[in-house]
Amino acid sequence: MSEGVESQGGGRKPSLIKGPREFWGGVALVVLAVFALIACYDLPGMRGFAFGPGTAPRMFAVLLGAFGVIIAAVGVMQEGPGVDPAVVRGAGLALILVLLFAAIDKFAEPLFTSIGYRNGESVAASFVVLVVTVAFARGIARGPLYVTAGVLIFAGTIRTLGLIPASFISTVVAAFATHEVRVVETLIWAAVLTAFCAFLFPYALNLPFNFWPQF
Amino acid sequence: MFDLFHNLALGFGVVFQFADIKINFLGFSGTIPLPMNIFFCFMGALIGTLIGVLPGVGPVATIAMLLPITFGLPPVGGLIMLAGIYYGAQYGGSTTSILVNLPGEASSVVTTLDGHQMARQGRAGPALAIAAIGSFFAGCVSTVLVAALGLPLTGLALKFGPAEYFSLMVLGLVFAVVLAKGSIVKAIAMILFGLLASMVGSDIETGQSRMAFNIPELSDGISFVVVAMGVFGFAEIIRNLEGGDEETRSIVASKVTGLMPTIPDLKASAGAILRGTVLGSILGILPGGGAVIAAFAAYTFEKKVSKDPSRFGKGAIEGVAAPESANNAAAQTSFIPLLTLGIPPNAVMALMVGAMTIHGIQPGPQVMTKQPDLFWGMISSMWIGNLMLVVINLPMVGLWVRLLRVPYRMMFPAILIFCNIGNYSINNAPFDVAMTALFGVVGYWLIKHDFEPAPMLLGFVLGPLMEENLRRAMLIARGDPSTFVTRPISAGLLAVSLLLLVLAVLPMIRSKREVVFTESET
């Protein structure tokens, strides 16, 4: 869709990698395969003729790596579309967002427990996610970032703040994923949706939810 | 033959069952017998259509979203509602194909060719109506077929050992590879990715934690809804958002006028519906994306037998009737491999397996003998589901069109919040919601690098089953891999898979395949 732009390093080197999109796609699969191999490094393998827990994952990881190499090789040799830098930026930032959320949620827990706010860390993580999103969302990266942020904020706040605040906040944040967003309309629409969900899920479908913050 | 009627009668008996519902309303209290299953089916078809008609939300995403609402129901009611949702979603996808040229899934891609042209000529009404009528006819025929073939195929299924199951799943995955758009190597890589992702969690035999990084929430593995909702739902939303243009999403919304097709229309499409139904029923039984190939095959066949092939692509009503009947017939008969062998032939069926497992039902040959009411009830509910579709959709086309006028900037936050709450409610786990965000990012990246997410989902679902049967087969054969080729059924299945792969890789066939697909995408 766009011209062949190298996603890493400076300058264009069209003679070296002819199809950057395929090439980087293959490389990513290889990285994933290696990651999986490391993750199941300590699992026992074959015992006699019986499969161990590690046999199948290792088998699939090796095959995935092999296919990744093939795809990358095709990318080197065959003329193909380039990598869209906006996509790399959007997906990369969104991935960082998820990792950031997970890290804060995991490692800040003792801190918040010690000052007496249980589950405070997930709200803090949501807040950080929101700040990072507002700071970095530009152009095409706007979509992936705000959508991811909306989902993460819902995950971070549903337990502590309850259904109504969580739905409202995450809907408003997600609505900013498009540049067509209108603030007043969004606030009203989010309130309507929240009211509808607060009726639909707990009453109509009989699912247990807290409506408001639990302190 | 007698058995067939007996079984269908049992099925309809279950569907029409009256349940005593306690009512406590305005001073009146007592029990009233109500046909709850019919009600569930109606609700399912209604909600399924309502969500499925949203642009960018295909049947897979719709079912993934609506799965949680069936959890609170009893198993029979839940599955019947699910069948309703399924047909509703399928028809909703066709509606967007015709009205806004936006296929909800691969199998309704062909419908856009002539359907959208008809809509542009102001004939959206007849197109929508003929799609519903064709689907209904195909549904009637294939329901009987499912009832007739279910039993013999179950007998076959009982002859299946681990080696045969493994080979059958290989065949299913090969079908998914061959039918995926674009590169075959990439489709295989996606299947492997799915298989690998399905290994996360506890090992089936030893209970050892695998690739879970000491995260307690991962010890049960990654939930299917998380993967499906992330990779299909969220990724699709992100992609739609960068498409930007508000106009491309709502061009013909204003022009639906006459609803019913004329007599010449009906005459022209009768043959097409019949041929589409036959083709669809046969191709649907094959594991792996039967509905997609059925729709393509029916369209191509219709073009071949037509006296004037040049009309196709310019609003020929046969071009809507044939693929719509075919994909519905195929969708129906694809229940056969699922219900009798327990093997999901495509991504939608994979979701159904997930749902059944949640209801405590292990799909497979035992379902028919151990829970006959469930099995036959579900088959009859398919027919009822089809009927509901016609009942709901013929009078309500105007309403669906109005729904399409809702601007996307308001639509997607609504979709997101429904997904989030539904997802959270399954396990009351914020972790699942966060994981879905991760898979949304992964799915977006995959789409952008031209990797098809559908084979990945199929691999993810088949992963645990495949590993289990592979391990068992190897154990029984004392570690001798030749067991897969010395057992006749298994060898036959593997030979067919190999043949298919070779055919797909052969450059001549491949270029032909690409022609079919490029034709459909314009």
Side-chain angles (χ1 to χ4, degrees):
Chain A
M1 43 173 52
S2 73
E3 69 276 61
V5 183
E6 293 286 331
S7 67
Q8 292 187 357
R12 294 177 59 173
K13 286 171 276 178
S15 56
L16 208 63
I17 298 165
K18 288 178 180 161
R21 192 185 72 182
E22 304 289 290
F23 176 74
W24 291 111
V27 169
L29 291 184
V30 174
V31 171
L32 190 75
V34 171
F35 179 71
L37 279 177
I38 295 171
C40 52
Y41 171 73
D42 56 345
L43 292 174
M46 300 288 279
R47 283 163 302 181
F49 52 74
F51 274 32
T55 315
R58 243 171 265 158
M59 201 167 76
F60 293 133
V62 168
L63 279 171
L64 181 65
F67 275 94
V69 170
I70 296 175
I71 293 168
V74 170
V76 170
M77 289 180 295
Q78 216 173 54
E79 210 65 53
V83 175
D84 190 347
V87 169
V88 175
R89 199 177 123 87
L93 281 173
L95 185 66
I96 292 170
L97 213 56
V98 177
L99 295 178
L100 193 66
F101 178 85
I104 296 174
D105 194 39
K106 191 168 167 62
F107 296 114
E109 192 186 345
L111 178 73
F112 280 92
T113 313
S114 67
I115 58 170
Y117 287 103
R118 281 194 61 235
N119 292 330
E121 71 278 358
S122 56
V123 178
S126 306
F127 186 71
V128 173
V129 161
L130 182 62
V131 171
V132 172
T133 305
V134 173
F136 285 98
R138 300 279 177 275
I140 287 188
R142 189 178 183 136
L145 269 182
Y146 273 108
V147 169
T148 312
V151 177
L152 287 176
I153 287 171
F154 182 85
T157 52
I158 177 75
R159 236 192 217 157
T160 326
L161 299 188
L163 180 68
I164 291 175
S167 309
F168 184 78
I169 298 168
S170 67
T171 309
V172 171
V173 171
F176 277 85
T178 168
H179 60 270
E180 295 161 6
V181 64
R182 295 171 197 177
V183 177
V184 178
E185 181 195 84
T186 299
L187 291 176
I188 297 169
W189 183 228
V192 171
L193 281 175
T194 303
F196 180 67
C197 290
F199 167 76
L200 180 73
F201 289 92
Y203 291 109
L205 301 174
N206 225 354
L207 296 164
F209 278 106
N210 295 323
F211 283 119
W212 296 106
Q214 306 283 304
F215 289 114
Chain B
M1 203 61 199
F2 180 74
D3 272 353
L4 175 67
F5 287 120
H6 176 78
N7 289 331
L8 279 179
L10 173 66
F12 281 106
V14 172
V15 174
F16 286 104
Q17 212 168 44
F18 284 80
D20 289 331
I21 304 299
K22 279 205 184 86
I23 301 251
N24 203 339
F25 183 69
L26 294 177
F28 171 84
S29 67
T31 57
I32 294 181
L34 287 172
M36 284 313 280
N37 286 337
I38 298 265
F39 173 73
F40 288 142
C41 195
F42 176 80
M43 282 309 288
L46 184 68
I47 303 172
T49 319
L50 205 64
I51 306 282
V53 87
L54 302 172
V57 184
V60 179
T62 307
I63 297 171
M65 248 177 257
L66 294 177
L67 262 189
I69 66 171
T70 67
F71 292 166
L73 305 174
V76 177
L79 286 180
I80 287 174
M81 184 161 182
L82 211 60
I85 292 173
Y86 178 38
Y87 293 114
Q90 196 104 12
Y91 186 76
S94 314
T95 310
T96 52
S97 308
I98 291 169
L99 291 177
V100 286
N101 203 16
L102 217 120
E105 54 153 0
S107 72
S108 53
V109 166
V110 204
T111 313
T112 60
L113 296 177
D114 280 285
H116 189 61
Q117 286 306 320
M118 285 182 74
R120 279 175 175 265
Q121 294 159 13
R123 298 197 342 115
L128 285 168
I130 210 75
I133 295 168
S135 297
F136 178 64
F137 177 79
C140 293
V141 173
S142 47
T143 301
V144 177
L145 202 68
V146 171
L149 282 184
L151 214 55
L153 274 178
T154 311
L156 183 69
L158 291 175
K159 289 201 183 75
F160 270 43
E164 282 78 12
Y165 266 110
F166 178 77
S167 304
L168 186 65
M169 280 181 266
V170 171
L171 179 65
L173 291 179
V174 166
F175 262 110
V177 166
V178 174
L179 294 177
K181 280 189 271 185
S183 158
I184 285 174
V185 177
K186 281 178 151 182
I188 298 177
M190 278 302 94
I191 284 182
L192 288 166
F193 178 26
L195 288 172
L196 205 55
S198 75
M199 305 278 132
V200 175
S202 305
D203 176 37
I204 338 162
E205 278 173 26
T206 59
Q208 189 152 12
S209 159
R210 304 194 286 189
M211 297 189 274
F213 306 102
N214 289 328
I215 301 170
E217 286 92 342
L218 274 182
S219 61
D220 259 351
I222 303 168
S223 137
F224 177 76
V225 179
V226 166
V227 178
M229 204 181 265
V231 171
F232 283 92
F234 292 179
E236 200 62 36
I237 288 176
I238 298 176
R239 207 192 53 158
N240 278 346
L241 280 173
E242 57 183 52
D245 255 337
E246 198 52 57
E247 281 104 62
T248 50
R249 286 190 284 259
S250 55
I251 3 172
V252 270
S254 54
K255 278 210 298 189
V256 182
T257 43
L259 176 65
M260 284 303 145
T262 57
I263 301 289
D265 281 345
L266 285 174
K267 264 189 191 151
S269 38
I273 289 175
L274 209 63
R275 286 186 287 269
T277 303
V278 173
L279 265 176
S281 304
I282 297 167
L283 291 171
I285 302 176
L286 302 176
V292 186
I293 199 173
F296 277 109
Y299 186 78
T300 323
F301 187 71
E302 216 43 52
K303 211 169 163 179
K304 279 249 166 65
V305 299
S306 168
K307 281 179 196 128
D308 181 15
S310 64
R311 284 191 310 120
F312 281 80
K314 291 174 194 148
I317 197 160
E318 301 98 300
V320 179
E324 275 302 301
S325 324
N327 77 26
N328 205 46
Q332 201 109 324
T333 50
S334 66
F335 269 97
I336 294 180
L338 174 68
L339 287 173
T340 56
L341 304 177
I343 291 175
N346 55 40
V348 176
M349 287 296 126
L351 271 167
M352 298 294 257
V353 173
M356 289 185 184
T357 321
I358 288 164
H359 281 294
I361 297 152
Q362 188 66 52
Q366 302 91 349
V367 173
M368 201 185 275
T369 44
K370 284 190 184 150
Q371 290 155 305
D373 54 333
L374 182 81
F375 182 85
W376 297 110
M378 185 144 169
I379 284 174
S380 335
S381 71
M382 293 176 191
W383 186 78
I384 302 281
N386 272 301
L387 185 68
M388 291 295 171
L389 266 192
V390 178
V391 170
I392 294 172
N393 283 296
L394 284 187
M396 286 171 90
V397 167
L399 183 73
W400 303 146
V401 175
R402 220 163 295 150
L403 196 66
L404 290 174
R405 284 199 195 144
V406 175
Y408 199 66
R409 65 168 192 277
M410 295 173 82
M411 190 121 67
F412 81 86
I415 299 172
L416 272 176
I417 195 64
F418 290 138
C419 280
N420 282 341
I421 298 180
N423 192 3
Y424 172 76
S425 67
I426 298 173
N427 285 327
N428 279 339
F431 181 83
D432 282 356
V433 182
M435 271 303 267
T436 314
L438 178 64
F439 273 97
V441 178
V442 171
Y444 171 67
W445 186 87
L446 289 178
I447 296 174
K448 281 295 164 185
H449 279 73
D450 205 24
F451 286 106
E452 282 247 339
M456 182 220 151
L457 194 64
L458 203 58
F460 180 79
V461 172
L462 289 181
L465 269 176
M466 246 181 129
E467 193 199 358
E468 198 185 343
N469 283 299
L470 176 65
R471 282 165 89 163
R472 248 188 239 156
M474 291 293 275
L475 204 62
I476 293 169
R478 311 205 132 243
D480 178 13
S482 70
T483 179
F484 295 105
V485 285
T486 47
R487 296 174 67 107
I489 299 180
S490 163
L493 291 167
L494 284 180
V496 175
S497 328
L498 195 68
L499 187 77
L500 271 173
L501 262 187
V502 170
L503 281 179
V505 173
L506 278 181
M508 194 192 75
I509 306 278
R510 254 201 80 187
S511 60
K512 222 182 208 171
R513 204 172 60 100
E514 268 158 17
V515 168
V516 173
F517 274 101
T518 41
E519 200 177 54
S520 67
E521 273 166 2
T522 47

